[in-house]
Structures are given as structure tokens and as C-alpha cells.
Amino acid sequence: MDLKSTLLLTGGSAGSFKLLNAVIRVLPTPQPAQRKAWKWRNVSTSLAHSCLTGAGAVLCFYRHPQMMADLISFCSLHSHSLVAVSTGYFIHDFLDMALNQPFKQSWDLLLHHSLVISCFGLTVTSRLYLGFAAVSLLVEINSVFLHLRQLLILSGRRNKPGTELTAPQPSLAYSITSWLNVGTFLVFRACTLGWMSRWLARHSEHIPRYVLMMGAAGLSLISTMNVAMFYKMFKADILKNMRNTTENH
């Protein structure tokens, strides 16, 4: 794609996710989630992005396995379009959070999105590092279960009915989702980011210094956020459930 087509696709993607968010607004919202209607719409839109780009990244490497041998200069219409669509989503989500959530609650995600938009923007306009960007989108496979977990909590389906006040027991749907979330976190998030950091260090001599600094800053921030996020999830979903099970026995 030329630059004009790239910008049109990125802008069209941002507009499409905005439209999807508006459609979710008019769809029925679970009663418990009505108190956090904006959060419900935001997470639902994020789930759509994760499903689309996570599957798109896997398909991209399946169709173009040679891309793994050249993450810098290899370019295909599929990979270019995938990263452009994802860039549009992050632009939409950045604006959605900036306009609807207090800064002190979202500053970390706004910073994260700023770095992603900068890195992906460089990638889609220069047509370089598309393979590296596609690798990063494998993280979205974990984000599918991360967002499903949030939606179950917002909709009041975290615990089995009737156990909330006495001895909360996670519902079957939540238990399956939380374990898949932990498993895919380790495989598609921790391992992927670790591999990306190793690749960046090994190829630092072939990458311009400003690109290297952008990549290192982004990976450092995301890795730090992921460590904190994993600790919170593991504590809330695994350790707490194990403690409840022990107490019930």
C-alpha cells in the first residue's frame, strides 16, 4: 500500500472501532454492568480488536513463514494491513480513554498506547519492521481471555449464583477463562515479549538508534505493566480460589 492508502486504512479502522463502540451502546447491557456502561463498551470493543488482530497475526505467519527470517524488511499486504488496522484501534482507544476516564486512572494505559501508536505508526509509514510488529500482535491472543475475564466480572458472572455472600465460588465460565488467561499470558505474552527483547538486543547493530530506543522503551514499559498485571491476576484468581477451597474443606 502507498502512504495515502495506509493513512485511509488507519483512519477507517479508528472510525470502525468508534462505530462498533456506538453499536454496543444500543445493545442490551447486563444489569450489573449498567453502572459501568462505558467500561463495558470499552472492553467489548477491545475484545473485538484482540480477536481480529490475534487471529490475523497467526494467519500472517502461517501464510508468510518466511517473514520470521526477516522481521525488518519483509512486507506483505496482509502484515501491512494488519498493523494499520491495529494502529487505528489504538488511536480510537486512546481518545476513548482520554475523553471518558480520569487521567489518574488511565495514565499508564495512555502512555502505553502512545508508545504503541508511535512504533506502529513508524512501521506502517516506513513499511519496515512489519514482521516485528506482527510478532507483538501475538500478545492479543492472551488479551482475548483477559477481556473476557473483565466482561464476566462486569456482568456479575464471576461467582456461582448464591455463593457471593457466604463463600464465593468462581463460576465454571470464570474458572475456565481465568486458567486460559494465565496459560496464554505465559505463552503468548511473557514468552513473546521476552523473545522480542532478545531479538532487539541481538539485532541492535542493524537498527537505527532512534528506532532501537523506541522499541526498548516500549518493551520496558509493557513488560513492567505485565508483571504487575500478572501478579494481580494470579493473586485474585489462583491464590484466592485456592485459599477459599482450603477453607471450605
Side-chain angles (χ1 to χ4, degrees):
M1 291 188 295
D2 57 17
L3 181 59
K4 182 178 179 181
S5 299
T6 300
L7 294 177
L8 284 173
L9 179 57
T10 303
S13 171
S16 296
F17 282 109
K18 174 65 177 176
L19 178 61
L20 175 61
N21 189 280
V23 170
I24 295 172
R25 179 191 291 269
V26 301
L27 293 177
T29 302
Q31 194 277 329
Q34 291 177 3
R35 292 174 297 173
K36 296 183 178 181
W38 172 83
K39 186 71 173 178
W40 175 265
R41 295 193 303 273
N42 180 268
V43 176
S44 298
T45 304
S46 297
L47 175 61
H49 166 259
S50 295
C51 291
L52 177 65
T53 55
V58 172
L59 183 61
C60 192
F61 284 105
Y62 176 77
R63 293 182 59 189
H64 306 286
Q66 66 273 28
M67 187 164 64
M68 283 301 299
D70 185 6
L71 297 181
I72 297 177
S73 58
F74 181 88
C75 178
S76 67
L77 180 61
H78 186 158
S79 60
H80 199 183
S81 301
L82 177 69
V83 180
V85 167
S86 189
T87 305
Y89 159 76
F90 281 108
I91 292 173
H92 154 75
D93 201 48
F94 179 94
L95 294 174
D96 191 35
M97 288 190 294
L99 295 173
N100 295 287
Q101 199 171 31
F103 180 75
K104 64 180 181 180
Q105 295 181 16
S106 61
W107 68 267
D108 52 343
L109 285 176
L110 290 175
L111 179 58
H112 166 273
H113 283 23
S114 298
L115 287 169
V116 172
I117 292 168
S118 299
C119 293
F120 278 15
L122 171 68
T123 297
V124 295
T125 53
S126 68
R127 297 165 62 93
L128 294 172
Y129 314 105
L130 286 167
F132 191 70
V135 170
S136 73
L137 288 174
L138 292 173
V139 170
E140 295 300 327
I141 295 173
N142 167 248
S143 294
V144 170
F145 300 103
L146 183 67
H147 296 320
L148 281 173
R149 174 182 177 273
Q150 289 181 292
L151 291 177
L152 286 171
I153 293 173
L154 288 171
S155 61
R157 297 175 184 173
R158 176 172 186 165
N159 299 317
K160 293 179 181 179
T163 67
E164 294 87 347
L165 299 178
T166 54
Q169 293 292 317
S171 64
L172 178 62
Y174 188 84
S175 294
I176 293 173
T177 301
S178 63
W179 278 107
L180 286 172
N181 185 34
V182 170
T184 56
F185 188 103
L186 295 174
V187 175
F188 291 103
R189 192 174 287 268
C191 290
T192 297
L193 292 174
W195 186 90
M196 290 174 66
S197 299
R198 178 174 174 270
W199 185 92
L200 202 63
R202 291 184 63 185
H203 294 80
S204 58
E205 297 179 357
H206 308 290
I207 301 174
R209 186 169 296 275
Y210 74 96
V211 176
L212 184 62
M213 291 178 64
M214 288 175 63
L219 285 171
S220 297
L221 174 66
I222 293 170
S223 297
T224 301
M225 292 176 65
N226 283 334
V227 169
M229 180 169 61
F230 184 77
Y231 172 74
K232 291 178 181 178
M233 289 190 313
F234 192 79
K235 182 179 179 180
D237 291 350
I238 308 301
L239 296 181
K240 184 178 180 180
N241 291 340
M242 291 174 61
R243 187 161 50 247
N244 289 340
T245 300
T246 301
E247 290 175 355
N248 289 336
H249 287 291

